[in-house]
Amino acid sequence: MNQKTNWVQNPTKTQLIISLMVYLNSVVIMFAAMTNFFQEPIDLKVNMVLLFLNIAVTFTMIKVVRNYFKNLKKQ
């Protein structure tokens, strides 16, 4: 059976590099917004949604990187 896989399950090297670049840029921008561009500490009560978004995106990127290396090992 031929199942379609998405870029999270079977990422190529190009997709991995692009997603890592976008991830790093977005995390820096979100932390800059959460800390008022690094002028004050993070207020977790105000920025709870951004904090959970950062955590979810980090877990997704860990999954992408793990799947890339797992698929690289199989080949």
Side-chain angles (χ1 to χ4, degrees):
M1 184 187 299
N2 188 6
Q3 292 180 346
K4 289 187 176 182
T5 57
N6 58 16
W7 65 273
V8 174
Q9 293 173 345
N10 192 14
T12 63
K13 187 175 183 178
T14 305
Q15 290 170 335
L16 178 71
I17 291 171
I18 291 171
S19 61
L20 281 174
M21 287 181 356
V22 170
Y23 165 73
L24 291 175
N25 287 332
S26 65
V27 167
V28 169
I29 290 170
M30 277 196 272
F31 273 120
M34 289 170 67
T35 60
N36 226 1
F37 293 97
F38 304 111
Q39 294 176 355
E40 57 189 45
I42 296 175
D43 185 10
L44 293 180
K45 292 178 184 174
V46 174
N47 298 308
M48 193 65 74
V49 173
L50 287 178
L51 182 67
F52 285 134
L53 186 63
N54 275 332
I55 292 169
V57 169
T58 301
F59 282 128
T60 304
M61 284 311 302
I62 290 170
K63 187 175 184 178
V64 170
V65 171
R66 187 184 68 202
N67 286 341
Y68 173 75
F69 285 111
K70 185 169 41 171
N71 290 335
L72 191 65
K73 228 181 214 184
K74 285 182 183 178
Q75 295 175 0

